[in-house]
Amino acid sequence: MTIQTPLPALAQERRVVTSIPGPKSQELLARRAAATSAGLGLTFPVVIERTQGAILQDVDGNSLIDFGSGIGVTNVGNSNDRVVQAVIDQAQMITHTCFTVAPYRGYIEVCEELNKLTPGTHAKKSLLVNSGAEAVENAVKIARYFTKRPAVVVFEHAYHGRTNLTMSLTAKNMPYKDGFGPFAGEVFRMPMPYPYRAISNPATLAQDSLEEITHRIEKEIGTHNVAAILIEPIQGEGGFIVPPKGFLPGLSEFATKHGIVFIADEVQSGFCRTGDWFAVNDENVIPDMVVTAKGIAGGLPLAGVTGRADIMDAVHISGLGGTYGGNPVACAAALAAIGFMKEEKLVDRAKHIGQILGDSLRALQAKYPVIGEVRGRGAMLAIELVKAGTKEPNTQAMQDVVKYCQSKGVLILTAGTYVNVIRFLPPLVMTDELLKDAIGVLEEAFASLK
Ligand code: PLZ
């Protein structure tokens, strides 16, 4: 059997040819409702047939602009040519052996890349697994083993996954935790400095937060009981909350002083998204461990834990593993995606996209007081919607904007503890024309708000 010839390119333009959802999507959505668990959410009620670059094409032939990258995954573009070719080539060679049974080259090479790309020049080692949640779980497992301590410190508004431990590490009850307990023990939640909603003086917010957190860790847990401090350097699902400058370096310094493993969850913020390889690069923070997933493999399921070699090597042989972790096809996709990010300088593309989008969002904010704040970094930007003249969350406006954009063929994602944030995670290969077209739709959406 030979591999099929490539499909013709999908034009990088928005084209809405039916009502949304169109008739074919409606039919499949009815089958979805009948066949799939009602517990699964649905952001955009269409069914996708094909993707390329920054376009998602649905089964009715509508070309939709992708402002979500599958929640920050397809940073190199949907169905990136290099990723697709690597997947085909690798699948012909090896589909699966299980790395801990009989190893293969791709796993080793992805770990070598992660060890080089993550911050710091110290000796590092990595472990590959299947999902962000699994990577976070493993990071905590390893930190506990290494320190021989039980407690894990996490933050308000945090999201770390949906497994039992990562649900416990996640802050928000609905929809992530409600009814799914009992939760894991030894998880301690600290306040997160949220500049837009902070009551204290913005100039001293970082210092004030650090003082409160370190005091509470010392008094309520005892530093000698803390295995890890786990934090998203820019919070994702929580609403793209960017901590004030100085906070992350201060926290990391405190961790180091007390032998606590400082873990950065870069699952959503990693791989060029923020205009750096990782969000912690911005303030030169060097975590003891970095958790990666999403953007790492251009759309294939893969995640990593990278950390100080002494920490990663502490665990006994066969203490870590999993059947599929670091699957060869996913590793080939990751190597192709990472190569593409380097060669196409996606770090710079993220900054460029962030400049255009950020300027447009700030102009919108000046015009529409419903936009309380524009925040984020690089191509990880968000707007928080409020009732005009207050900071009261405005979920209705968020829903109206999302709906308007969908009807015009633009996919946008929401977020936020208060369900009032619109976040933008465009593929980093989005053309300027397409970006401006999507921004135009967003402007219309705000103009249409009552
Ligand atoms: N850490 C920072 O953003 C996943 C969740 C989507 P998995 N975020 C998207 C949903 O509704 O389930 C995420 C994250 C951060 C960990 C995770 C978990 O990654 O690959 O979804 O397990």
Side-chain angles (χ1 to χ4, degrees), residues 216-275:
R216 283 183 53 183
I217 292 175
E218 279 158 9
K219 297 297 166 200
E220 296 173 17
I221 319 170
T223 50
H224 61 284
N225 291 316
V226 181
I229 296 176
L230 168 67
I231 191 163
E232 302 158 81
I234 295 181
Q235 290 184 316
E237 306 302 310
F240 287 16
I241 300 164
V242 187
K245 289 264 183 252
F247 178 72
L248 291 172
L251 198 62
S252 143
E253 208 175 293
F254 172 79
T256 303
K257 188 170 153 205
H258 294 284
I260 299 168
V261 179
F262 185 77
I263 308 174
D265 179 343
E266 293 265 8
V267 168
Q268 195 156 159
S269 54
F271 291 102
C272 307
R273 177 51 62 189
T274 60

Short mmCIF file of all heavy atoms in Angstrom, two decimals, residues 216-275:
data_model
loop_
_atom_site.label_atom_id
_atom_site.label_comp_id
_atom_site.label_asym_id
_atom_site.label_seq_id
_atom_site.Cartn_x
_atom_site.Cartn_y
_atom_site.Cartn_z
N ARG A 216 2.31 32.25 55.45
CA ARG A 216 1.35 31.15 55.60
C ARG A 216 2.01 29.79 55.42
O ARG A 216 1.66 28.82 56.12
CB ARG A 216 0.19 31.34 54.62
CG ARG A 216 -0.78 32.41 55.14
CD ARG A 216 -1.97 32.59 54.26
NE ARG A 216 -2.67 31.35 53.99
CZ ARG A 216 -3.73 31.27 53.18
NH1 ARG A 216 -4.19 32.35 52.56
NH2 ARG A 216 -4.32 30.12 52.96
N ILE A 217 2.93 29.71 54.49
CA ILE A 217 3.63 28.42 54.31
C ILE A 217 4.38 28.07 55.60
O ILE A 217 4.32 26.94 56.09
CB ILE A 217 4.59 28.46 53.08
CG1 ILE A 217 3.77 28.55 51.78
CG2 ILE A 217 5.49 27.22 53.05
CD1 ILE A 217 4.60 28.71 50.52
N GLU A 218 5.06 29.07 56.14
CA GLU A 218 5.83 28.82 57.37
C GLU A 218 4.93 28.45 58.55
O GLU A 218 5.21 27.50 59.27
CB GLU A 218 6.68 30.06 57.73
CG GLU A 218 7.97 30.11 56.92
CD GLU A 218 8.57 31.51 56.82
OE1 GLU A 218 8.11 32.44 57.52
OE2 GLU A 218 9.52 31.67 56.02
N LYS A 219 3.83 29.22 58.71
CA LYS A 219 3.00 29.03 59.90
C LYS A 219 1.97 27.90 59.77
O LYS A 219 1.69 27.20 60.73
CB LYS A 219 2.25 30.33 60.24
CG LYS A 219 3.16 31.47 60.60
CD LYS A 219 3.98 31.17 61.86
CE LYS A 219 5.11 32.16 62.01
NZ LYS A 219 6.18 31.68 62.88
N GLU A 220 1.40 27.73 58.56
CA GLU A 220 0.30 26.77 58.42
C GLU A 220 0.75 25.38 57.97
O GLU A 220 0.08 24.40 58.23
CB GLU A 220 -0.76 27.32 57.44
CG GLU A 220 -1.42 28.60 57.96
CD GLU A 220 -2.34 29.26 56.95
OE1 GLU A 220 -2.75 28.60 55.97
OE2 GLU A 220 -2.66 30.45 57.13
N ILE A 221 1.87 25.33 57.22
CA ILE A 221 2.32 24.01 56.73
C ILE A 221 3.67 23.63 57.35
O ILE A 221 3.88 22.49 57.75
CB ILE A 221 2.49 24.01 55.18
CG1 ILE A 221 1.34 24.77 54.49
CG2 ILE A 221 2.57 22.57 54.65
CD1 ILE A 221 1.57 25.02 53.01
N GLY A 222 4.57 24.61 57.43
CA GLY A 222 5.95 24.33 57.85
C GLY A 222 6.77 24.09 56.59
O GLY A 222 6.48 23.14 55.85
N THR A 223 7.75 24.93 56.33
CA THR A 223 8.52 24.83 55.07
C THR A 223 9.12 23.43 54.90
O THR A 223 9.19 22.92 53.78
CB THR A 223 9.66 25.87 55.03
OG1 THR A 223 10.38 25.78 56.25
CG2 THR A 223 9.12 27.28 54.88
N HIS A 224 9.51 22.81 56.02
CA HIS A 224 10.17 21.50 55.95
C HIS A 224 9.19 20.38 55.55
O HIS A 224 9.61 19.25 55.34
CB HIS A 224 10.84 21.16 57.28
CG HIS A 224 9.86 21.09 58.42
ND1 HIS A 224 9.32 22.22 59.00
CD2 HIS A 224 9.29 20.03 59.04
CE1 HIS A 224 8.47 21.87 59.95
NE2 HIS A 224 8.43 20.53 59.99
N ASN A 225 7.90 20.71 55.47
CA ASN A 225 6.92 19.70 55.01
C ASN A 225 6.54 19.88 53.54
O ASN A 225 5.76 19.11 53.00
CB ASN A 225 5.64 19.80 55.85
CG ASN A 225 5.88 19.34 57.28
OD1 ASN A 225 6.54 18.31 57.48
ND2 ASN A 225 5.40 20.09 58.24
N VAL A 226 7.07 20.92 52.92
CA VAL A 226 6.63 21.24 51.55
C VAL A 226 7.56 20.61 50.51
O VAL A 226 8.76 20.92 50.45
CB VAL A 226 6.54 22.77 51.34
CG1 VAL A 226 6.06 23.09 49.92
CG2 VAL A 226 5.60 23.39 52.37
N ALA A 227 6.98 19.74 49.69
CA ALA A 227 7.75 19.11 48.61
C ALA A 227 7.89 20.06 47.44
O ALA A 227 8.96 20.18 46.85
CB ALA A 227 7.04 17.83 48.14
N ALA A 228 6.79 20.74 47.08
CA ALA A 228 6.81 21.52 45.84
C ALA A 228 5.91 22.74 45.91
O ALA A 228 4.89 22.73 46.60
CB ALA A 228 6.37 20.65 44.68
N ILE A 229 6.32 23.78 45.21
CA ILE A 229 5.44 24.90 44.90
C ILE A 229 5.19 24.79 43.40
O ILE A 229 6.14 24.76 42.60
CB ILE A 229 6.10 26.26 45.24
CG1 ILE A 229 6.33 26.37 46.76
CG2 ILE A 229 5.25 27.42 44.73
CD1 ILE A 229 7.05 27.65 47.20
N LEU A 230 3.91 24.67 43.05
CA LEU A 230 3.52 24.46 41.64
C LEU A 230 2.75 25.68 41.16
O LEU A 230 1.75 26.06 41.77
CB LEU A 230 2.65 23.20 41.57
CG LEU A 230 1.90 22.92 40.27
CD1 LEU A 230 2.87 22.59 39.14
CD2 LEU A 230 0.91 21.76 40.46
N ILE A 231 3.19 26.26 40.06
CA ILE A 231 2.50 27.47 39.57
C ILE A 231 2.57 27.60 38.05
O ILE A 231 3.56 27.20 37.44
CB ILE A 231 3.09 28.74 40.26
CG1 ILE A 231 2.20 29.97 39.98
CG2 ILE A 231 4.54 28.98 39.85
CD1 ILE A 231 2.46 31.15 40.91
N GLU A 232 1.49 28.12 37.47
CA GLU A 232 1.49 28.49 36.05
C GLU A 232 2.04 29.92 35.99
O GLU A 232 1.45 30.82 36.58
CB GLU A 232 0.07 28.51 35.49
CG GLU A 232 -0.72 27.22 35.60
CD GLU A 232 -2.24 27.52 35.54
OE1 GLU A 232 -2.76 27.69 34.43
OE2 GLU A 232 -2.88 27.59 36.61
N PRO A 233 3.13 30.13 35.27
CA PRO A 233 3.73 31.47 35.25
C PRO A 233 2.78 32.52 34.67
O PRO A 233 2.84 33.69 35.06
CB PRO A 233 4.97 31.32 34.39
CG PRO A 233 5.08 29.89 34.04
CD PRO A 233 3.92 29.12 34.54
N ILE A 234 1.93 32.14 33.73
CA ILE A 234 0.75 32.94 33.38
C ILE A 234 -0.40 31.94 33.47
O ILE A 234 -0.35 30.89 32.83
CB ILE A 234 0.83 33.53 31.95
CG1 ILE A 234 1.98 34.53 31.84
CG2 ILE A 234 -0.50 34.21 31.57
CD1 ILE A 234 2.13 35.19 30.48
N GLN A 235 -1.39 32.25 34.29
CA GLN A 235 -2.46 31.26 34.48
C GLN A 235 -3.33 31.16 33.23
O GLN A 235 -3.70 32.17 32.63
CB GLN A 235 -3.29 31.64 35.70
CG GLN A 235 -2.50 31.44 36.99
CD GLN A 235 -3.32 31.72 38.22
OE1 GLN A 235 -4.05 32.70 38.25
NE2 GLN A 235 -3.20 30.87 39.23
N GLY A 236 -3.66 29.92 32.85
CA GLY A 236 -4.42 29.67 31.63
C GLY A 236 -5.92 29.73 31.83
O GLY A 236 -6.54 30.78 31.65
N GLU A 237 -6.50 28.60 32.23
CA GLU A 237 -7.96 28.53 32.39
C GLU A 237 -8.47 29.60 33.37
O GLU A 237 -9.60 30.05 33.27
CB GLU A 237 -8.38 27.14 32.90
CG GLU A 237 -7.87 25.96 32.06
CD GLU A 237 -8.29 26.01 30.62
OE1 GLU A 237 -9.49 26.21 30.37
OE2 GLU A 237 -7.41 25.89 29.74
N GLY A 238 -7.64 29.98 34.33
CA GLY A 238 -8.01 30.97 35.34
C GLY A 238 -8.27 32.35 34.76
O GLY A 238 -8.83 33.21 35.43
N GLY A 239 -7.82 32.57 33.51
CA GLY A 239 -8.12 33.85 32.86
C GLY A 239 -6.89 34.66 32.45
O GLY A 239 -6.96 35.88 32.41
N PHE A 240 -5.79 33.97 32.14
CA PHE A 240 -4.56 34.63 31.66
C PHE A 240 -4.10 35.68 32.67
O PHE A 240 -3.77 36.82 32.31
CB PHE A 240 -4.75 35.23 30.26
CG PHE A 240 -4.81 34.19 29.16
CD1 PHE A 240 -5.01 32.85 29.45
CD2 PHE A 240 -4.64 34.54 27.84
CE1 PHE A 240 -5.06 31.89 28.46
CE2 PHE A 240 -4.69 33.58 26.82
CZ PHE A 240 -4.90 32.27 27.13
N ILE A 241 -4.11 35.30 33.93
CA ILE A 241 -3.67 36.20 34.99
C ILE A 241 -2.14 36.21 34.99
O ILE A 241 -1.51 35.16 35.09
CB ILE A 241 -4.22 35.75 36.36
CG1 ILE A 241 -5.75 35.74 36.32
CG2 ILE A 241 -3.67 36.63 37.47
CD1 ILE A 241 -6.40 34.98 37.47
N VAL A 242 -1.60 37.43 34.83
CA VAL A 242 -0.14 37.60 34.81
C VAL A 242 0.27 38.16 36.16
O VAL A 242 -0.14 39.26 36.52
CB VAL A 242 0.28 38.59 33.70
CG1 VAL A 242 1.80 38.64 33.58
CG2 VAL A 242 -0.38 38.24 32.37
N PRO A 243 1.07 37.42 36.93
CA PRO A 243 1.47 37.95 38.24
C PRO A 243 2.35 39.19 38.07
O PRO A 243 3.01 39.33 37.05
CB PRO A 243 2.23 36.79 38.89
CG PRO A 243 2.64 35.91 37.77
CD PRO A 243 1.65 36.10 36.66
N PRO A 244 2.36 40.08 39.06
CA PRO A 244 3.19 41.29 38.94
C PRO A 244 4.67 40.94 38.91
O PRO A 244 5.08 39.92 39.47
CB PRO A 244 2.84 42.08 40.21
CG PRO A 244 2.30 41.07 41.17
CD PRO A 244 1.65 40.00 40.36
N LYS A 245 5.44 41.80 38.27
CA LYS A 245 6.90 41.58 38.17
C LYS A 245 7.49 41.40 39.56
O LYS A 245 7.10 42.09 40.51
CB LYS A 245 7.57 42.79 37.51
CG LYS A 245 7.26 42.92 36.02
CD LYS A 245 8.34 42.29 35.15
CE LYS A 245 8.04 42.50 33.67
NZ LYS A 245 7.61 41.31 32.94
N GLY A 246 8.41 40.48 39.66
CA GLY A 246 9.07 40.23 40.94
C GLY A 246 8.46 39.09 41.73
O GLY A 246 9.12 38.51 42.58
N PHE A 247 7.20 38.76 41.41
CA PHE A 247 6.53 37.72 42.19
C PHE A 247 7.15 36.34 41.94
O PHE A 247 7.52 35.63 42.89
CB PHE A 247 5.03 37.70 41.88
CG PHE A 247 4.28 36.61 42.61
CD1 PHE A 247 4.06 36.70 43.97
CD2 PHE A 247 3.82 35.48 41.93
CE1 PHE A 247 3.39 35.69 44.66
CE2 PHE A 247 3.15 34.47 42.60
CZ PHE A 247 2.94 34.57 43.97
N LEU A 248 7.27 35.96 40.68
CA LEU A 248 7.81 34.63 40.38
C LEU A 248 9.27 34.48 40.83
O LEU A 248 9.61 33.47 41.46
CB LEU A 248 7.65 34.29 38.89
CG LEU A 248 6.22 34.07 38.40
CD1 LEU A 248 6.17 33.94 36.88
CD2 LEU A 248 5.58 32.84 39.04
N PRO A 249 10.13 35.49 40.57
CA PRO A 249 11.50 35.36 41.08
C PRO A 249 11.53 35.23 42.61
O PRO A 249 12.30 34.42 43.15
CB PRO A 249 12.18 36.66 40.62
CG PRO A 249 11.39 37.13 39.46
CD PRO A 249 9.97 36.68 39.69
N GLY A 250 10.68 35.99 43.28
CA GLY A 250 10.66 35.93 44.76
C GLY A 250 10.22 34.58 45.26
O GLY A 250 10.77 34.03 46.22
N LEU A 251 9.21 34.02 44.59
CA LEU A 251 8.67 32.72 44.99
C LEU A 251 9.72 31.62 44.76
O LEU A 251 9.92 30.73 45.60
CB LEU A 251 7.42 32.43 44.15
CG LEU A 251 6.46 31.37 44.63
CD1 LEU A 251 5.88 31.74 45.99
CD2 LEU A 251 5.33 31.18 43.61
N SER A 252 10.39 31.71 43.63
CA SER A 252 11.40 30.71 43.29
C SER A 252 12.57 30.79 44.28
O SER A 252 13.11 29.76 44.72
CB SER A 252 11.81 30.93 41.83
OG SER A 252 13.15 30.71 41.64
N GLU A 253 12.92 32.00 44.64
CA GLU A 253 14.01 32.19 45.61
C GLU A 253 13.64 31.58 46.98
O GLU A 253 14.47 30.91 47.61
CB GLU A 253 14.21 33.69 45.78
CG GLU A 253 15.60 34.13 46.15
CD GLU A 253 15.66 35.65 46.17
OE1 GLU A 253 15.54 36.27 45.08
OE2 GLU A 253 15.77 36.20 47.26
N PHE A 254 12.39 31.82 47.39
CA PHE A 254 11.92 31.25 48.66
C PHE A 254 11.98 29.72 48.61
O PHE A 254 12.41 29.06 49.57
CB PHE A 254 10.48 31.74 48.92
CG PHE A 254 9.82 31.08 50.10
CD1 PHE A 254 10.10 31.48 51.39
CD2 PHE A 254 8.90 30.04 49.90
CE1 PHE A 254 9.48 30.86 52.49
CE2 PHE A 254 8.28 29.42 50.98
CZ PHE A 254 8.58 29.83 52.28
N ALA A 255 11.53 29.15 47.49
CA ALA A 255 11.55 27.69 47.34
C ALA A 255 12.98 27.16 47.48
O ALA A 255 13.24 26.22 48.24
CB ALA A 255 10.95 27.29 45.98
N THR A 256 13.89 27.79 46.76
CA THR A 256 15.28 27.34 46.77
C THR A 256 15.85 27.39 48.20
O THR A 256 16.50 26.44 48.66
CB THR A 256 16.13 28.23 45.84
OG1 THR A 256 15.54 28.17 44.54
CG2 THR A 256 17.57 27.76 45.76
N LYS A 257 15.56 28.49 48.90
CA LYS A 257 16.09 28.68 50.25
C LYS A 257 15.64 27.55 51.19
O LYS A 257 16.36 27.16 52.11
CB LYS A 257 15.57 30.03 50.76
CG LYS A 257 16.16 30.46 52.08
CD LYS A 257 15.79 31.90 52.39
CE LYS A 257 15.79 32.12 53.89
NZ LYS A 257 14.92 33.22 54.28
N HIS A 258 14.43 27.01 50.94
CA HIS A 258 13.89 26.01 51.85
C HIS A 258 13.90 24.59 51.28
O HIS A 258 13.21 23.71 51.80
CB HIS A 258 12.47 26.41 52.28
CG HIS A 258 12.47 27.67 53.09
ND1 HIS A 258 12.84 27.71 54.41
CD2 HIS A 258 12.18 28.94 52.74
CE1 HIS A 258 12.78 28.96 54.85
NE2 HIS A 258 12.37 29.72 53.86
N GLY A 259 14.64 24.38 50.22
CA GLY A 259 14.73 23.03 49.65
C GLY A 259 13.42 22.53 49.08
O GLY A 259 13.15 21.33 49.02
N ILE A 260 12.57 23.48 48.66
CA ILE A 260 11.28 23.13 48.05
C ILE A 260 11.46 23.12 46.53
O ILE A 260 12.09 24.02 45.97
CB ILE A 260 10.20 24.18 48.45
CG1 ILE A 260 10.02 24.20 49.98
CG2 ILE A 260 8.89 23.93 47.72
CD1 ILE A 260 9.20 25.38 50.49
N VAL A 261 10.90 22.10 45.87
CA VAL A 261 11.04 22.01 44.41
C VAL A 261 10.07 23.01 43.75
O VAL A 261 8.87 22.95 43.99
CB VAL A 261 10.75 20.57 43.93
CG1 VAL A 261 10.86 20.47 42.41
CG2 VAL A 261 11.70 19.57 44.60
N PHE A 262 10.62 23.92 42.96
CA PHE A 262 9.80 24.93 42.29
C PHE A 262 9.42 24.40 40.90
O PHE A 262 10.28 24.20 40.05
CB PHE A 262 10.59 26.24 42.18
CG PHE A 262 9.77 27.38 41.61
CD1 PHE A 262 8.84 28.04 42.41
CD2 PHE A 262 9.94 27.79 40.30
CE1 PHE A 262 8.08 29.09 41.90
CE2 PHE A 262 9.18 28.85 39.79
CZ PHE A 262 8.26 29.50 40.59
N ILE A 263 8.12 24.15 40.71
CA ILE A 263 7.65 23.55 39.45
C ILE A 263 6.86 24.58 38.65
O ILE A 263 5.86 25.12 39.15
CB ILE A 263 6.74 22.33 39.71
CG1 ILE A 263 7.39 21.33 40.66
CG2 ILE A 263 6.36 21.66 38.39
CD1 ILE A 263 6.47 20.17 41.08
N ALA A 264 7.28 24.84 37.42
CA ALA A 264 6.51 25.72 36.54
C ALA A 264 5.64 24.87 35.63
O ALA A 264 6.15 24.02 34.90
CB ALA A 264 7.46 26.58 35.71
N ASP A 265 4.34 25.10 35.70
CA ASP A 265 3.42 24.42 34.78
C ASP A 265 3.31 25.29 33.53
O ASP A 265 2.58 26.28 33.50
CB ASP A 265 2.04 24.24 35.44
CG ASP A 265 1.03 23.57 34.52
OD1 ASP A 265 1.27 23.53 33.29
OD2 ASP A 265 -0.02 23.09 35.01
N GLU A 266 4.08 24.92 32.50
CA GLU A 266 4.12 25.67 31.24
C GLU A 266 3.26 24.99 30.18
O GLU A 266 3.50 25.17 28.99
CB GLU A 266 5.57 25.80 30.76
CG GLU A 266 6.44 26.67 31.64
CD GLU A 266 6.54 28.13 31.16
OE1 GLU A 266 5.80 28.50 30.22
OE2 GLU A 266 7.35 28.88 31.74
N VAL A 267 2.29 24.21 30.62
CA VAL A 267 1.48 23.43 29.68
C VAL A 267 0.80 24.36 28.66
O VAL A 267 0.82 24.09 27.46
CB VAL A 267 0.44 22.57 30.44
CG1 VAL A 267 -0.60 21.98 29.49
CG2 VAL A 267 1.15 21.44 31.19
N GLN A 268 0.22 25.47 29.15
CA GLN A 268 -0.49 26.37 28.22
C GLN A 268 0.41 27.52 27.74
O GLN A 268 0.23 28.02 26.64
CB GLN A 268 -1.75 26.92 28.90
CG GLN A 268 -2.71 27.56 27.94
CD GLN A 268 -4.16 27.60 28.38
OE1 GLN A 268 -4.94 28.39 27.90
NE2 GLN A 268 -4.58 26.75 29.29
N SER A 269 1.37 27.92 28.56
CA SER A 269 2.17 29.11 28.25
C SER A 269 3.45 28.79 27.48
O SER A 269 4.15 29.70 27.05
CB SER A 269 2.51 29.83 29.55
OG SER A 269 3.15 28.95 30.47
N GLY A 270 3.76 27.51 27.30
CA GLY A 270 5.03 27.12 26.72
C GLY A 270 5.09 27.11 25.20
O GLY A 270 4.10 27.33 24.53
N PHE A 271 6.28 26.86 24.70
CA PHE A 271 6.53 26.68 23.27
C PHE A 271 6.16 27.88 22.41
O PHE A 271 5.30 27.80 21.54
CB PHE A 271 5.92 25.36 22.77
CG PHE A 271 6.65 24.19 23.34
CD1 PHE A 271 6.14 23.48 24.40
CD2 PHE A 271 7.91 23.86 22.87
CE1 PHE A 271 6.85 22.44 24.99
CE2 PHE A 271 8.64 22.83 23.43
CZ PHE A 271 8.11 22.12 24.49
N CYS A 272 6.83 28.99 22.71
CA CYS A 272 6.81 30.23 21.91
C CYS A 272 5.56 31.07 22.13
O CYS A 272 5.48 32.20 21.64
CB CYS A 272 7.00 29.95 20.41
SG CYS A 272 8.43 28.96 20.02
N ARG A 273 4.58 30.55 22.81
CA ARG A 273 3.29 31.21 22.96
C ARG A 273 3.40 32.66 23.42
O ARG A 273 2.74 33.55 22.89
CB ARG A 273 2.43 30.37 23.93
CG ARG A 273 1.08 30.88 24.28
CD ARG A 273 0.21 31.27 23.11
NE ARG A 273 -0.12 30.18 22.19
CZ ARG A 273 -0.73 30.40 21.01
NH1 ARG A 273 -1.09 31.63 20.65
NH2 ARG A 273 -0.98 29.39 20.20
N THR A 274 4.22 32.90 24.47
CA THR A 274 4.25 34.23 25.09
C THR A 274 5.33 35.14 24.48
O THR A 274 5.62 36.20 25.01
CB THR A 274 4.52 34.11 26.61
OG1 THR A 274 5.79 33.45 26.77
CG2 THR A 274 3.44 33.29 27.30
N GLY A 275 5.94 34.69 23.36
CA GLY A 275 7.03 35.47 22.78
C GLY A 275 8.37 35.09 23.38
O GLY A 275 9.37 35.77 23.20
#
